[in-house]
Amino acid sequence: MNPTISAGARARRVGYKIAFGVTLFASLGVAYAFKTIFARPGEAALRFVPADAMMVGTLDLSPSPAQALAFKHIDDAMDRNGMNRFVETSVLDIFSKKSAATDLLRPLVQRSGAIALLPYKTANGETGGTSGLALIALSSGTEAEAILKKYGKPTFFRGTKGYTLPGDKSTMMVMDDVLVLGEKPYSLHAARMVRDGQTPGILSSEEFQTARQHVSSDANVMMFCSPKLLGDTGVAALKDAKASWLGAGLAIRDGGVGLSVWNRFDPNSVKGLAEFGQTQAIRRDLFGVLPTGAYGMFAISQPGNYFEMFERSMGQEKDGQQMIADMSKGMHEAIGVDLHKDLVAGLKGNAVIAAYPAADGAPEGAEALLVIDDLNGSDPAAVVDRFQAYVDEQMAKEGGTEKIWVETKSGDNRMFRIADKMQDEMRKGIGEGMDERSVKKEVLVGKKTIAWAMVGKAVIASTNEALLARAVDSFKNRTSTLSSDARFIKSDSEVMDGSQVLAVFNLGRIAEGVKNTISTEKMDKDGAEMFNTVLSAFANLTDPFYLKAKVGADGEVASGAFIPLDYDKVFDFIGKEMKGKG
């Protein structure tokens, strides 16, 4: 052992190896389709993991009833593309060198198991370094034990008997129907002590069980990190954080892969966490106030809070205080708006940036939509009024007569857009250099403008007047909204769970819009083929991609994602590429 390497560095190095092993597990998880329903032998193997484990990972490729169709797609796609030779190996080969013994063990090895990173304890009980542990489910522990006895060399560590196979550094033993592999003999001994009830196991830890409860119940791959390991990662923000176990899961589902991550911190131990936890959730009816047909959107609740957190952080330094003061002064002089009384106060509701096709019908082109609502007492419309009044005042002082914007509609909804001359110049500038043989220039540029409306105290803005009108109608009257859009209906119930940050995009609709806007005529044959292949991989995706995150007042941090996949297209593409290089 190199004395110049710190214990923390060694822990991180071994931790990275374990993390790499879990990554390989995840890769295998997408490749294999189990036929056994309900059994979760990988998670069951955790009964042998000691309570002082620093990291734990599990692999379970037994599909739940909801996952059966996804696994069938993967299985059929791999068989169709002749990729079975790549899955004839087993998880055993990740941890052990190929030999005559492993060839005999391989048919007994199930594709489920667990791994752990343990603190290594010397004979006098002192902790020094770490030791990896792997537990692989077997179809017959009795047969595996006989193979180890025949081919392995017996080793003993504090009364625990294990075996080393020829040319292999790992030590192995069998407990029940689980093959136990240790980076050091100590790992086997630690697992046996848990089995015999002499030391507590990880399943007796309430903090671990809490983390497990926050990971999806159908997760095929799970990863858990202890507070100690999080503190040893070298990330400054985590060094002094009082954290619980971190839990993460990956679930293979029909239509894509679901991800979930959870942790809980003492909110006072992480800078800014307590303040962030006070931020309100995104409005529950978000999908009910946006117009239908979107490509996707990014939403955030109370954006003004983020600036206030930034200001408090920067205000602790003299230079930071001066920077904020200069920013406030410059904003007031430039646009007549007060940074705190107007802008920050006007951003206490929800802010949404969304992308839409240029018109109804077949998606093509792209337009932007911005919605800033008036929840939590905010009044963004007053900020816009103050800005417009300031510009009018400055124009009058300078003797200007040319209009910068025009009001396009009167009545309850005050609607504006930039004046004709500015609009024409903007469209000309955007379209300059566009090759009409490659893109639909008129679709991308022809109706571009900058238009906005005040609906009560809320503000809605867009790059397209027709889209603005639709958005105003949806926001005010709740008509033709995303809540009735078939491409977003499923995600509504999944993402509106108290999250404060949210991104949702329908990749299938985006692919259709790109295909209808971009021409492949000027592309070379290979480029056009690749372009169409990539678009086709997304074309049939109906479920949207989403990414969400939230922080609770108690320091709970949770995030989730869904990555839609067309398994048939993915494996067909991989198979084609492999054949082309074969």
Side-chain angles (χ1 to χ4, degrees):
M1 181 179 295
N2 187 345
T4 63
I5 301 177
S6 68
R10 287 193 295 272
R12 290 193 296 272
R13 185 176 60 190
V14 178
Y16 297 150
K17 292 181 180 179
I18 297 296
F20 178 69
V22 172
T23 301
L24 291 177
F25 267 22
S27 299
L28 288 170
V30 178
Y32 292 110
F34 250 17
K35 308 303 179 184
T36 306
I37 305 299
F38 302 126
R40 293 183 65 87
E43 188 171 2
L46 293 179
R47 67 188 185 276
F48 298 136
V49 175
D52 62 357
M54 301 168 66
M55 180 190 291
V56 175
T58 68
L59 170 73
D60 274 294
L61 298 179
S62 306
S64 68
Q67 295 174 319
L69 184 58
F71 276 74
K72 181 66 166 59
H73 279 309
I74 294 171
D75 194 29
D76 291 346
M78 294 191 72
D79 183 62
R80 181 173 64 251
N81 287 282
M83 298 172 64
N84 288 331
R85 67 183 183 277
F86 293 101
V87 299
E88 289 172 355
T89 183
S90 76
V91 292
L92 176 63
D93 296 288
I94 297 174
F95 303 102
S96 185
K97 186 177 180 180
K98 180 177 174 62
S99 66
T102 55
D103 287 343
L104 294 173
L105 285 171
R106 192 172 295 107
L108 305 176
V109 170
Q110 299 186 43
R111 297 180 183 108
S112 294
I115 59 175
L117 180 64
L118 311 179
Y120 176 72
K121 294 182 179 179
T122 61
N124 59 10
E126 295 181 358
T127 300
T130 57
S131 180
L133 173 70
L135 305 115
I136 303 175
L138 298 167
S139 59
S140 173
T142 302
E143 292 183 43
E145 178 75 23
I147 294 170
L148 292 182
K149 287 182 178 179
K150 181 177 180 180
Y151 290 91
K153 177 183 178 181
T155 62
F156 293 88
F157 182 86
R158 302 180 197 172
T160 299
K161 184 179 181 180
Y163 298 90
T164 56
L165 298 177
D168 204 332
K169 294 182 180 180
S170 299
T171 307
M172 304 182 188
M173 65 182 293
V174 175
M175 294 195 302
D176 298 342
D177 283 335
V178 175
L179 180 64
V180 184
L181 299 90
E183 182 185 12
K184 298 181 178 74
Y186 169 79
S187 298
L188 272 60
H189 174 72
R192 185 182 69 82
M193 294 286 283
V194 175
R195 183 198 63 179
D196 296 345
Q198 298 183 45
T199 57
I202 193 68
L203 296 181
S204 67
S205 167
E206 291 186 9
E207 282 196 347
F208 175 83
Q209 290 290 2
T210 298
R212 173 61 187 95
Q213 291 169 10
H214 285 88
V215 174
S216 177
S217 59
D218 64 345
N220 302 96
V221 180
M222 296 187 293
M223 170 71 81
F224 301 92
C225 291
S226 70
K228 184 180 188 315
L229 187 61
L230 290 174
D232 287 342
T233 57
V235 179
L238 297 177
K239 185 177 180 180
D240 299 319
K242 297 177 181 178
S244 66
W245 274 79
L246 178 147
L250 179 152
I252 300 170
R253 296 171 181 159
D254 184 31
V257 175
L259 304 171
S260 58
V261 180
W262 180 90
N263 204 348
R264 178 179 285 128
F265 298 87
D266 177 342
N268 297 315
S269 69
V270 180
K271 191 174 183 180
L273 191 65
E275 292 89 343
F276 196 100
Q278 299 300 320
T279 302
Q280 297 293 316
I282 294 170
R283 59 187 299 164
R284 180 62 185 85
D285 64 344
L286 178 64
F287 282 43
V289 297
L290 297 175
T292 188
Y295 286 135
M297 64 177 173
F298 174 79
I300 185 172
S301 63
Q302 298 188 296
N305 286 10
Y306 295 89
F307 179 81
E308 290 179 333
M309 285 185 272
F310 168 76
E311 185 177 19
R312 281 192 291 271
S313 176
M314 295 299 296
Q316 296 176 13
E317 302 292 336
K318 185 176 181 180
D319 291 345
Q321 295 174 5
Q322 186 61 49
M323 183 190 73
I324 298 296
D326 291 343
M327 184 186 302
S328 180
K329 180 181 178 181
M331 180 173 292
H332 190 272
E333 291 177 349
I335 61 176
V337 171
D338 186 275
L339 176 62
H340 297 93
K341 294 179 181 179
D342 295 328
L343 190 61
V344 174
L347 294 174
K348 291 295 185 180
N350 297 266
V352 185
I353 299 175
Y356 280 79
D360 294 335
E364 61 179 5
E367 302 291 354
L369 177 69
L370 171 67
V371 177
I372 303 176
D373 67 28
D374 57 350
L375 296 185
N376 306 313
S378 60
D379 189 354
V383 182
V384 176
D385 278 335
R386 192 163 287 110
F387 164 71
Q388 291 186 220
Y390 177 80
V391 173
D392 286 339
E393 180 182 341
Q394 296 304 307
M395 290 289 290
K397 286 181 179 180
E398 296 174 7
T401 58
E402 186 176 351
K403 289 186 177 182
I404 297 179
W405 52 71
V406 295
E407 188 167 356
T408 59
K409 184 178 180 181
S410 60
D412 293 341
N413 305 321
R414 294 173 294 154
M415 304 179 72
F416 303 83
R417 68 164 171 82
I418 57 175
D420 293 344
K421 182 179 179 180
M422 188 180 296
Q423 179 175 268
D424 292 342
E425 290 176 351
M426 183 188 73
R427 290 175 179 176
K428 183 179 179 180
I430 295 174
E432 189 173 353
M434 282 189 181
D435 187 341
E436 296 188 54
R437 294 173 298 174
S438 300
V439 299
K440 292 183 178 180
K441 181 176 178 179
E442 179 61 25
V443 169
L444 288 172
V445 179
K447 297 182 179 180
K448 281 284 188 299
T449 188
I450 298 177
W452 61 97
M454 277 76 88
V455 184
K457 294 181 179 180
V459 173
I460 303 175
S462 179
T463 57
N464 182 291
E465 277 192 277
L467 176 58
L468 177 64
R470 289 175 52 211
V472 169
D473 185 51
S474 296
F475 188 87
K476 187 176 180 180
N477 302 315
R478 306 297 194 268
T479 56
S480 300
T481 66
L482 274 181
S483 60
S484 61
D485 190 327
R487 298 271 185 129
F488 284 88
I489 288 176
K490 183 177 179 180
S491 63
D492 190 350
S493 60
E494 292 181 358
V495 301
M496 294 305 168
D497 60 350
S499 295
Q500 297 136 324
V501 179
L502 170 66
V504 188
F505 292 92
N506 192 284
L507 303 182
R509 182 171 285 163
I510 292 174
E512 186 178 358
V514 172
K515 185 176 181 179
N516 292 338
T517 306
I518 305 297
S519 173
T520 60
E521 291 181 4
K522 292 189 66 178
M523 295 183 186
D524 59 62
K525 182 179 179 181
D526 291 340
E529 184 176 352
M530 177 62 71
F531 177 81
N532 290 323
T533 298
V534 172
L535 289 185
S536 68
F538 296 102
N540 296 326
L541 298 178
T542 56
D543 295 333
F545 162 90
Y546 69 73
L547 179 65
K548 59 182 180 178
K550 63 180 176 179
V551 175
D554 63 349
E556 181 181 26
V557 180
S559 60
F562 181 77
I563 304 172
L565 293 172
D566 184 330
Y567 295 115
D568 290 311
K569 293 285 182 64
V570 169
F571 283 102
D572 286 348
F573 177 76
I574 294 174
K576 183 178 180 180
E577 289 297 303
M578 292 174 63
K579 290 176 182 177
K581 296 177 181 179

